[in-house]
Amino acid sequence: MADEEVKQETESTEAPETQTEAKSEENANASEQAAGQEDSSEKTEAPAEEPKEPTQEERIEQLEKENADLKDQLLRRAADFDNYRKRMIKEKQDTFDYANANLLADLLESLDNFDRTLEASATATDVKAIVDGIKMVNGSLVAMLENKYGLTSYAVEGDEFDPDVHEAIGRVEEEGKEKETLKQVYLKGYKLKDKVIRNAKVMVSVPKA
C-alpha cells in the first residue's frame, strides 16, 4: 500500500509540468500553422503589373504633339513681340511729332495778338499806339516762355565777356579797361533753364595794351 501511495504522489507532482509542456507545444504548433497560412496567402497574391512601355508609334505621336505645341507657343511669342515693337515705334514717332504741341498751342495767343495789331495798323493814324501794341504782345510772349518753359535771354552791354556763352564777332581796345566786357550786343543769347541753346553775338571791349 505504501508503494502505491508514493507512486500516486509522484504522478500527481509530475502532471502539471507535463500539462504545461503540452500546452507549449500546442501554442508552437498553432503559431507555425498561422505563419504557414500567412506565407500561403502572400504566395497567392497577384504580382503588381509593370508599367507598359509605349510603342514606337505612340512615342512618335507624343513627340509630334509636343513639337506642335512648342511651335505654336513660339509663333505666339513672335507675334506678341512684333506687335510690341510696332507699338513702341509708333509711340516714339508720336512723341517726336507732337513734342512741341503744348508750346505751339501757347504761341497761338501771341500770333492772334500780332494779327490784331497788323489789322489795326492798316487804319491807324497814331504810330505810338501801334508800337505800344507790339510791345504788349512781345512782353506777354516773353513772359509765357520764361514762366512756363524756362526760356531766358542773356547778354547786356557792360556784362563781363564769357567765351563759353558769348560769341565775339569783334574786339575794340579801350583805355582804362581792366577786363573784357560787352561793348555791344548784336544778337541776344538764350538759355533753356541752365542749357545754352543759342550763344549771344557781341562786340567786346578789351584793355588797351
Side-chain angles (χ1 to χ4, degrees):
M1 292 292 294
D3 294 336
E4 291 180 356
E5 290 177 357
V6 172
K7 183 179 180 181
Q8 289 177 352
E9 289 177 359
T10 304
E11 289 178 354
S12 63
T13 55
E14 292 179 352
E17 293 179 357
T18 305
Q19 291 176 358
T20 303
E21 291 178 356
K23 288 182 180 180
S24 299
E25 290 179 357
E26 289 178 358
N27 291 336
N29 292 333
S31 299
E32 289 178 357
Q33 290 177 357
Q37 290 178 355
E38 290 180 357
D39 293 340
S40 61
S41 62
E42 290 178 356
K43 290 179 181 178
T44 57
E45 289 182 358
E49 294 184 1
E50 296 181 359
K52 185 179 178 181
E53 289 291 333
T55 63
Q56 185 176 1
E57 289 76 10
E58 291 174 342
R59 184 59 178 165
I60 292 174
E61 182 180 357
Q62 182 182 0
L63 292 174
E64 288 178 347
K65 184 177 181 302
E66 292 177 358
N67 182 53
D69 292 340
L70 291 174
K71 184 177 180 181
D72 182 67
Q73 293 178 16
L74 180 62
L75 292 175
R76 290 176 182 273
R77 295 283 180 89
D80 292 341
F81 178 77
D82 188 58
N83 292 334
Y84 172 79
R85 182 181 61 83
K86 290 178 180 179
R87 186 169 64 252
M88 291 297 101
I89 291 174
K90 185 178 184 302
E91 290 180 0
K92 183 178 180 180
Q93 186 63 38
D94 289 344
T95 301
F96 178 78
D97 291 340
Y98 303 107
N100 297 322
N102 293 333
L103 172 61
L104 296 175
D106 290 333
L107 290 175
L108 294 179
E109 182 178 356
S110 297
L111 291 175
D112 292 339
N113 291 333
F114 274 120
D115 289 339
R116 296 188 187 98
T117 302
L118 291 174
E119 291 175 0
S121 65
T123 56
T125 57
D126 186 358
V127 176
K128 185 177 182 302
I130 301 299
V131 173
D132 291 341
I134 294 174
K135 287 181 179 180
M136 182 184 67
V137 175
N138 180 74
S140 64
L141 176 60
V142 169
M144 183 271 293
L145 293 174
E146 288 182 352
N147 298 331
K148 192 168 184 179
Y149 294 95
L151 181 69
T152 56
S153 61
Y154 69 91
V156 178
E157 293 180 6
D159 288 348
E160 185 175 354
F161 175 72
D162 183 354
D164 292 332
V165 297
H166 300 130
E167 180 182 346
I169 61 174
R171 297 177 183 274
V172 178
E173 292 185 351
E174 290 188 9
E175 294 283 353
K177 287 286 183 181
E178 297 181 357
K179 56 184 177 180
E180 297 181 343
T181 57
L182 306 185
K183 181 176 179 62
Q184 187 176 355
V185 177
Y186 291 100
L187 194 63
K188 289 190 295 184
Y190 282 93
K191 291 181 180 180
L192 182 58
K193 296 182 179 178
D194 295 330
K195 183 179 179 180
V196 176
I197 61 175
R198 190 180 79 180
N199 289 349
K201 298 182 183 297
V202 297
M203 177 67 72
V204 182
S205 296
V206 299
K208 191 172 183 178

PDB file of all heavy atoms in Angstrom, residues 62 66 84 87-88 92-93 95 97 99 106 115 126 140 142 152 160 177 189:
ATOM      1  N   GLN A  62       3.477  61.299 -79.604  1.00  0.00           N
ATOM      2  CA  GLN A  62       3.645  62.202 -78.465  1.00  0.00           C
ATOM      3  C   GLN A  62       4.657  63.305 -78.761  1.00  0.00           C
ATOM      4  O   GLN A  62       4.434  64.478 -78.449  1.00  0.00           O
ATOM      5  CB  GLN A  62       4.090  61.403 -77.240  1.00  0.00           C
ATOM      6  CG  GLN A  62       4.252  62.261 -75.984  1.00  0.00           C
ATOM      7  CD  GLN A  62       4.728  61.456 -74.794  1.00  0.00           C
ATOM      8  OE1 GLN A  62       4.942  60.242 -74.906  1.00  0.00           O
ATOM      9  NE2 GLN A  62       4.907  62.117 -73.668  1.00  0.00           N
ATOM     10  N   GLU A  66       4.093  67.390 -78.885  1.00  0.00           N
ATOM     11  CA  GLU A  66       4.908  68.337 -78.129  1.00  0.00           C
ATOM     12  C   GLU A  66       5.569  69.357 -79.061  1.00  0.00           C
ATOM     13  O   GLU A  66       5.655  70.546 -78.745  1.00  0.00           O
ATOM     14  CB  GLU A  66       5.968  67.584 -77.327  1.00  0.00           C
ATOM     15  CG  GLU A  66       5.403  66.736 -76.202  1.00  0.00           C
ATOM     16  CD  GLU A  66       6.487  65.947 -75.490  1.00  0.00           C
ATOM     17  OE1 GLU A  66       7.664  66.045 -75.926  1.00  0.00           O
ATOM     18  OE2 GLU A  66       6.167  65.234 -74.514  1.00  0.00           O
ATOM     19  N   TYR A  84       4.508  94.508 -80.065  1.00  0.00           N
ATOM     20  CA  TYR A  84       5.136  95.408 -79.097  1.00  0.00           C
ATOM     21  C   TYR A  84       6.126  96.344 -79.796  1.00  0.00           C
ATOM     22  O   TYR A  84       6.171  97.544 -79.519  1.00  0.00           O
ATOM     23  CB  TYR A  84       5.841  94.582 -78.027  1.00  0.00           C
ATOM     24  CG  TYR A  84       6.682  95.396 -77.074  1.00  0.00           C
ATOM     25  CD1 TYR A  84       6.098  96.109 -76.028  1.00  0.00           C
ATOM     26  CD2 TYR A  84       8.068  95.462 -77.237  1.00  0.00           C
ATOM     27  CE1 TYR A  84       6.876  96.858 -75.160  1.00  0.00           C
ATOM     28  CE2 TYR A  84       8.840  96.209 -76.370  1.00  0.00           C
ATOM     29  CZ  TYR A  84       8.245  96.897 -75.337  1.00  0.00           C
ATOM     30  OH  TYR A  84       9.012  97.652 -74.490  1.00  0.00           O
ATOM     31  N   ARG A  87       4.288  98.995 -81.713  1.00  0.00           N
ATOM     32  CA  ARG A  87       3.689  99.973 -80.807  1.00  0.00           C
ATOM     33  C   ARG A  87       4.731 100.950 -80.274  1.00  0.00           C
ATOM     34  O   ARG A  87       4.478 102.163 -80.180  1.00  0.00           O
ATOM     35  CB  ARG A  87       3.002  99.251 -79.650  1.00  0.00           C
ATOM     36  CG  ARG A  87       2.229 100.184 -78.730  1.00  0.00           C
ATOM     37  CD  ARG A  87       1.348  99.428 -77.771  1.00  0.00           C
ATOM     38  NE  ARG A  87       2.125  98.609 -76.849  1.00  0.00           N
ATOM     39  CZ  ARG A  87       2.204  97.295 -76.892  1.00  0.00           C
ATOM     40  NH1 ARG A  87       1.568  96.628 -77.838  1.00  0.00           N
ATOM     41  NH2 ARG A  87       2.919  96.624 -76.008  1.00  0.00           N
ATOM     42  N   MET A  88       5.920 100.442 -79.936  1.00  0.00           N
ATOM     43  CA  MET A  88       6.987 101.308 -79.450  1.00  0.00           C
ATOM     44  C   MET A  88       7.445 102.296 -80.529  1.00  0.00           C
ATOM     45  O   MET A  88       7.709 103.471 -80.255  1.00  0.00           O
ATOM     46  CB  MET A  88       8.179 100.467 -78.971  1.00  0.00           C
ATOM     47  CG  MET A  88       7.932  99.672 -77.706  1.00  0.00           C
ATOM     48  SD  MET A  88       7.602 100.709 -76.248  1.00  0.00           S
ATOM     49  CE  MET A  88       5.805 100.578 -76.171  1.00  0.00           C
ATOM     50  N   LYS A  92       7.110 106.324 -80.196  1.00  0.00           N
ATOM     51  CA  LYS A  92       8.297 107.165 -80.347  1.00  0.00           C
ATOM     52  C   LYS A  92       8.079 108.218 -81.425  1.00  0.00           C
ATOM     53  O   LYS A  92       8.445 109.384 -81.260  1.00  0.00           O
ATOM     54  CB  LYS A  92       9.503 106.296 -80.690  1.00  0.00           C
ATOM     55  CG  LYS A  92      10.806 107.070 -80.806  1.00  0.00           C
ATOM     56  CD  LYS A  92      11.968 106.130 -81.093  1.00  0.00           C
ATOM     57  CE  LYS A  92      13.281 106.912 -81.210  1.00  0.00           C
ATOM     58  NZ  LYS A  92      14.424 106.001 -81.499  1.00  0.00           N
ATOM     59  N   GLN A  93       7.467 107.806 -82.546  1.00  0.00           N
ATOM     60  CA  GLN A  93       7.203 108.754 -83.620  1.00  0.00           C
ATOM     61  C   GLN A  93       6.193 109.809 -83.186  1.00  0.00           C
ATOM     62  O   GLN A  93       6.338 110.997 -83.495  1.00  0.00           O
ATOM     63  CB  GLN A  93       6.680 107.999 -84.856  1.00  0.00           C
ATOM     64  CG  GLN A  93       6.513 108.879 -86.092  1.00  0.00           C
ATOM     65  CD  GLN A  93       7.834 109.455 -86.581  1.00  0.00           C
ATOM     66  OE1 GLN A  93       8.856 108.771 -86.538  1.00  0.00           O
ATOM     67  NE2 GLN A  93       7.821 110.713 -87.001  1.00  0.00           N
ATOM     68  N   THR A  95       5.721 110.842 -80.138  1.00  0.00           N
ATOM     69  CA  THR A  95       6.412 111.739 -79.210  1.00  0.00           C
ATOM     70  C   THR A  95       7.236 112.771 -79.974  1.00  0.00           C
ATOM     71  O   THR A  95       7.262 113.956 -79.612  1.00  0.00           O
ATOM     72  CB  THR A  95       7.326 110.925 -78.272  1.00  0.00           C
ATOM     73  OG1 THR A  95       6.531 109.991 -77.549  1.00  0.00           O
ATOM     74  CG2 THR A  95       8.044 111.836 -77.295  1.00  0.00           C
ATOM     75  N   ASP A  97       6.706 113.749 -83.157  1.00  0.00           N
ATOM     76  CA  ASP A  97       5.839 114.609 -83.971  1.00  0.00           C
ATOM     77  C   ASP A  97       5.117 115.655 -83.135  1.00  0.00           C
ATOM     78  O   ASP A  97       4.913 116.789 -83.577  1.00  0.00           O
ATOM     79  CB  ASP A  97       4.815 113.766 -84.736  1.00  0.00           C
ATOM     80  CG  ASP A  97       5.467 112.918 -85.821  1.00  0.00           C
ATOM     81  OD1 ASP A  97       6.608 113.245 -86.227  1.00  0.00           O
ATOM     82  OD2 ASP A  97       4.850 111.922 -86.246  1.00  0.00           O
ATOM     83  N   ALA A  99       5.916 116.599 -79.854  1.00  0.00           N
ATOM     84  CA  ALA A  99       6.668 117.046 -78.681  1.00  0.00           C
ATOM     85  C   ALA A  99       6.439 118.529 -78.398  1.00  0.00           C
ATOM     86  O   ALA A  99       6.429 118.958 -77.243  1.00  0.00           O
ATOM     87  CB  ALA A  99       8.158 116.766 -78.873  1.00  0.00           C
ATOM     88  N   ASP A 106       0.446 127.333 -76.972  1.00  0.00           N
ATOM     89  CA  ASP A 106       0.613 128.564 -76.193  1.00  0.00           C
ATOM     90  C   ASP A 106       1.006 129.748 -77.082  1.00  0.00           C
ATOM     91  O   ASP A 106       0.703 130.906 -76.751  1.00  0.00           O
ATOM     92  CB  ASP A 106       1.678 128.352 -75.115  1.00  0.00           C
ATOM     93  CG  ASP A 106       1.205 127.401 -74.023  1.00  0.00           C
ATOM     94  OD1 ASP A 106      -0.021 127.327 -73.799  1.00  0.00           O
ATOM     95  OD2 ASP A 106       2.056 126.733 -73.410  1.00  0.00           O
ATOM     96  N   ASP A 115      -1.787 139.343 -85.194  1.00  0.00           N
ATOM     97  CA  ASP A 115      -2.737 139.551 -86.296  1.00  0.00           C
ATOM     98  C   ASP A 115      -3.622 140.773 -86.028  1.00  0.00           C
ATOM     99  O   ASP A 115      -3.871 141.583 -86.937  1.00  0.00           O
ATOM    100  CB  ASP A 115      -3.618 138.304 -86.479  1.00  0.00           C
ATOM    101  CG  ASP A 115      -2.833 137.123 -87.052  1.00  0.00           C
ATOM    102  OD1 ASP A 115      -1.777 137.363 -87.667  1.00  0.00           O
ATOM    103  OD2 ASP A 115      -3.291 135.977 -86.886  1.00  0.00           O
ATOM    104  N   ASP A 126      -2.041 156.796 -85.396  1.00  0.00           N
ATOM    105  CA  ASP A 126      -1.100 157.042 -84.306  1.00  0.00           C
ATOM    106  C   ASP A 126      -0.059 155.916 -84.308  1.00  0.00           C
ATOM    107  O   ASP A 126      -0.356 154.778 -83.955  1.00  0.00           O
ATOM    108  CB  ASP A 126      -1.840 157.097 -82.972  1.00  0.00           C
ATOM    109  CG  ASP A 126      -0.930 157.500 -81.820  1.00  0.00           C
ATOM    110  OD1 ASP A 126       0.281 157.702 -82.063  1.00  0.00           O
ATOM    111  OD2 ASP A 126      -1.415 157.575 -80.676  1.00  0.00           O
ATOM    112  N   SER A 140       4.019 139.811 -73.391  1.00  0.00           N
ATOM    113  CA  SER A 140       3.250 138.631 -72.982  1.00  0.00           C
ATOM    114  C   SER A 140       3.901 137.351 -73.507  1.00  0.00           C
ATOM    115  O   SER A 140       3.916 136.317 -72.819  1.00  0.00           O
ATOM    116  CB  SER A 140       1.812 138.738 -73.486  1.00  0.00           C
ATOM    117  OG  SER A 140       1.773 138.737 -74.906  1.00  0.00           O
ATOM    118  N   VAL A 142       7.203 136.875 -74.149  1.00  0.00           N
ATOM    119  CA  VAL A 142       8.420 136.631 -73.373  1.00  0.00           C
ATOM    120  C   VAL A 142       8.077 136.079 -71.985  1.00  0.00           C
ATOM    121  O   VAL A 142       8.720 135.141 -71.504  1.00  0.00           O
ATOM    122  CB  VAL A 142       9.251 137.922 -73.264  1.00  0.00           C
ATOM    123  CG1 VAL A 142      10.379 137.744 -72.246  1.00  0.00           C
ATOM    124  CG2 VAL A 142       9.802 138.320 -74.624  1.00  0.00           C
ATOM    125  N   THR A 152      15.062 131.869 -71.166  1.00  0.00           N
ATOM    126  CA  THR A 152      15.500 133.203 -70.761  1.00  0.00           C
ATOM    127  C   THR A 152      16.571 133.713 -71.715  1.00  0.00           C
ATOM    128  O   THR A 152      17.354 132.940 -72.265  1.00  0.00           O
ATOM    129  CB  THR A 152      16.057 133.194 -69.329  1.00  0.00           C
ATOM    130  OG1 THR A 152      17.124 132.240 -69.236  1.00  0.00           O
ATOM    131  CG2 THR A 152      14.972 132.820 -68.325  1.00  0.00           C
ATOM    132  N   GLU A 160      30.490 141.107 -68.216  1.00  0.00           N
ATOM    133  CA  GLU A 160      31.809 140.547 -68.459  1.00  0.00           C
ATOM    134  C   GLU A 160      31.734 139.499 -69.567  1.00  0.00           C
ATOM    135  O   GLU A 160      30.800 138.697 -69.639  1.00  0.00           O
ATOM    136  CB  GLU A 160      32.346 139.916 -67.177  1.00  0.00           C
ATOM    137  CG  GLU A 160      33.781 139.399 -67.308  1.00  0.00           C
ATOM    138  CD  GLU A 160      34.325 138.883 -65.996  1.00  0.00           C
ATOM    139  OE1 GLU A 160      33.630 139.037 -64.969  1.00  0.00           O
ATOM    140  OE2 GLU A 160      35.443 138.326 -65.994  1.00  0.00           O
ATOM    141  N   LYS A 177      40.198 150.074 -69.398  1.00  0.00           N
ATOM    142  CA  LYS A 177      39.504 148.798 -69.205  1.00  0.00           C
ATOM    143  C   LYS A 177      40.425 147.820 -68.454  1.00  0.00           C
ATOM    144  O   LYS A 177      41.579 147.672 -68.806  1.00  0.00           O
ATOM    145  CB  LYS A 177      39.103 148.184 -70.549  1.00  0.00           C
ATOM    146  CG  LYS A 177      37.945 148.892 -71.244  1.00  0.00           C
ATOM    147  CD  LYS A 177      36.625 148.575 -70.539  1.00  0.00           C
ATOM    148  CE  LYS A 177      35.457 149.223 -71.264  1.00  0.00           C
ATOM    149  NZ  LYS A 177      34.177 148.935 -70.584  1.00  0.00           N
ATOM    150  N   GLY A 189      21.555 136.090 -76.536  1.00  0.00           N
ATOM    151  CA  GLY A 189      21.637 134.648 -76.353  1.00  0.00           C
ATOM    152  C   GLY A 189      20.441 134.147 -75.565  1.00  0.00           C
ATOM    153  O   GLY A 189      19.751 134.918 -74.886  1.00  0.00           O
TER     154      GLY A 189
END
